[in-house]
Amino acid sequence: MSDDPKAKRKKKGGGMKMILLIVVAMVVGGAGAAGGLYAAGFFSPKEEGPKEDPNKPVLVLAGESAEEIAKAHAAPHGEAAAAAHGAHGKGIDLPAPANPAAYQATYFQLQTPFTSNMSDTDAFAQISVAVSTYYDLRVIDAIKTHEMAIRSQVLMMLAQQPEEMLSTPEGKRALQGKIKGIINDILKQKTGYGGVDNVYFTNFVIQ
């Protein structure tokens, strides 16, 4: 058995080197693992998907109240105003439900009739219009708010229609589609969303 101090120091030094190598390997390995996790986005904040616009009207299920749904989903005033201020570009057409029977239709009668001369005769047309939507009351509120713009566009379009066309069922159906398009276009411009599902004539007189 040797008590050589040099041998003891050599043995001890070798042990220290081994410990040091293990520590270095652990540090390097840990850094590599951390780097891999960072590259994978583990430490990065999670990306949120696109936020639902609180100003967007929602469908109303059958039996629900369009007014209560609007109140529950309405954005704060400032947020709604910002959304309406050109944030949507040309605006979005809200799709009609695939199963209308599952949703609540809300009807709204525009109080004042539309009266206009025809394009090819001295006769004039007077029509009363109502609309329906399967979306919450914000659609109807938007129609009330922007009724002047709607009336102006409808009257200009009506003045371009020939009497002969408006005297036929096909012409009246075509006119319904044109009025629906005008209303939804104005709502998209003003609020970002359409939402009118149909237009109805509650009175239609040509004389």
Side-chain angles (χ1 to χ4, degrees):
M1 184 172 180
S2 173
D3 293 328
D4 187 357
K6 289 184 179 180
K8 288 183 178 180
R9 284 197 299 271
K10 185 175 181 182
K11 187 175 181 182
K12 185 176 180 181
M16 289 297 292
K17 285 181 181 178
M18 182 62 68
I19 292 170
L20 187 61
L21 286 171
I22 292 171
V23 170
V24 169
M26 289 177 66
V27 170
V28 171
L37 290 171
Y38 182 83
F42 186 80
F43 297 111
S44 302
K46 292 183 179 179
E47 291 185 7
E48 295 184 2
K51 293 183 178 179
E52 185 72 11
D53 186 351
N55 197 47
K56 179 182 178 181
V58 298
L59 288 166
V60 179
L61 291 170
E64 292 184 334
S65 165
E67 183 176 4
E68 292 303 317
I69 296 297
K71 288 179 181 178
H73 289 83
H77 178 72
E79 198 171 339
H85 188 62
H88 305 279
K90 293 182 179 179
I92 298 171
D93 278 314
L94 297 177
N99 179 20
Y103 298 93
Q104 181 70 46
T106 300
Y107 298 90
F108 174 67
Q109 171 83 53
L110 278 75
Q111 295 303 311
T112 306
F114 294 87
T115 303
S116 174
N117 293 327
M118 300 289 91
S119 63
D120 59 347
T121 177
D122 292 334
F124 68 90
Q126 185 177 78
I127 60 175
S128 296
V129 171
V131 301
S132 67
T133 180
Y134 288 105
Y135 288 84
D136 65 62
L137 206 64
R138 285 175 288 180
V139 174
I140 302 301
D141 288 341
I143 292 173
K144 294 177 182 177
T145 300
H146 304 292
E147 185 174 352
M148 287 297 179
I150 291 169
R151 293 189 67 82
S152 176
Q153 290 296 318
V154 170
L155 286 171
M156 285 194 292
M157 180 274 295
L158 193 57
Q160 298 170 3
Q161 308 307 308
E163 179 184 3
E164 184 178 353
M165 188 195 80
L166 296 188
S167 299
T168 66
E170 293 79 10
K172 289 180 173 67
R173 281 193 289 271
L175 184 63
Q176 283 178 305
K178 290 176 181 177
I179 295 174
K180 174 186 170 182
I182 287 172
I183 295 174
N184 278 327
D185 284 347
I186 290 174
L187 295 187
K188 287 187 292 183
Q189 292 169 16
K190 302 296 186 181
T191 71
Y193 300 100
V196 171
D197 176 71
N198 211 342
V199 166
Y200 306 90
F201 296 136
T202 55
N203 189 47
F204 200 114
V205 176
I206 297 177
Q207 59 184 31

